[in-house]
């Protein structure tokens, strides 16, 4: 059982997969039973912590690494690509969001689509120059929101609600 919790913890840390993959795996392994609220909350907490653990590292070091690597032989193109695309996307988001950048970042992270998790949200915020506390709070709120959405989907609640409105 401990190894399953550990695996789910590490799955939630993987970029692009994050909790969007960890919650369905935990549900499939029986770590999120609907009849045991304590175990469900415990597993959810482990997944949230695993997803949030890389956020400070990404915020503090990702931009520095990309700027350092942009003129290196093997990684230069990919670092330049991420710097260019990330900065352009961040500026576009900032123009649209204005002062609502916190909400925009929270929604970006919170809507569980591929490429919109804590990793990309934190990198974008760091490229935009958002403050650390503001970034961490927005990403945390987004991760919690995405976690609830994925939990409801994994437990079949969203499917049940959808069947109420189907013809």
């Amino acid at each position: 059982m401990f190894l399953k919790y550990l695996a789910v913890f590490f799955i939630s840390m993987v970029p692009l997969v994050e909790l969007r993959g960890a919650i369905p795996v935990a549900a499939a392994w029986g770590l999120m039973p609907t009849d045991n609220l304590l175990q469900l909350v415990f597993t959810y907490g482990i997944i949230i912590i695993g997803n949030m653990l890389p956020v400070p590292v990404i915020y503090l070091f990702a931009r520095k690494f990309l700027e350092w690597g942009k003129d290196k032989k093997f990684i230069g193109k990919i670092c330049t690509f991420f710097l260019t695309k990330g900065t352009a996307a961040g500026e576009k988001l900032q123009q649209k969001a204005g002062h609502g950048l916190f909400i925009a970042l929270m929604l970006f992270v919170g809507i569980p689509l591929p490429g919109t998790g804590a990793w990309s949200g934190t990198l974008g915020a760091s490229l935009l120059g958002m403050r650390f506390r503001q970034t961490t709070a927005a990403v945390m709120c987004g991760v919690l929101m995405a976690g609830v959405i994925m939990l409801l989907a994994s437990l079949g609640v969203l499917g049940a609600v959808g069947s109420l409105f189907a013809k």
Side-chain angles (χ1 to χ4, degrees):
M1 188 67 99
F2 173 75
L3 290 178
K4 287 183 179 180
Y5 282 114
L6 193 62
V8 168
F9 176 76
F10 284 119
I11 290 170
S12 68
M13 294 174 86
V14 175
L16 299 175
V17 176
E18 301 181 24
L19 64 73
R20 291 147 179 82
I23 289 177
V25 168
W29 286 349
L31 299 177
M32 299 185 113
T34 55
D35 60 342
N36 188 342
L37 186 61
L38 185 61
Q39 186 178 356
L40 188 134
V41 171
F42 178 74
T43 305
Y44 180 77
I46 286 174
I47 291 170
I48 296 297
I49 291 168
N51 199 181
M52 286 300 295
L53 204 59
V55 168
V57 176
I58 296 165
Y59 182 87
L60 296 172
F61 300 113
R63 182 182 189 137
K64 293 175 184 174
F65 173 78
L66 292 174
E67 288 175 355
W68 169 82
K70 69 183 177 185
D71 59 349
K72 302 297 183 245
K73 184 176 181 179
F74 294 108
I75 60 171
K77 288 183 182 180
I78 191 85
C79 288
T80 303
F81 171 80
F82 280 121
L83 278 172
T84 305
K85 287 290 187 182
T87 303
E91 288 171 355
K92 186 176 178 181
L93 178 66
Q94 195 167 26
Q95 287 173 354
K96 287 184 178 182
H99 293 293
L101 195 56
F102 179 91
I103 300 293
L105 179 59
M106 180 188 73
L107 291 174
F108 177 80
V109 174
I111 298 172
L113 296 171
T116 64
W119 282 72
S120 54
T122 304
L123 178 60
S126 113
L127 291 174
L128 280 175
M130 282 181 70
R131 292 188 325 262
F132 178 76
R133 285 185 182 176
Q134 185 181 24
T135 298
T136 305
V139 170
M140 181 65 169
C141 290
V143 164
L144 290 170
M145 189 168 91
V148 168
I149 293 168
M150 289 305 301
L151 181 62
L152 293 174
S154 294
L155 297 177
V157 175
L158 294 180
V161 171
S163 69
L164 291 174
F165 299 105
K167 285 186 175 183

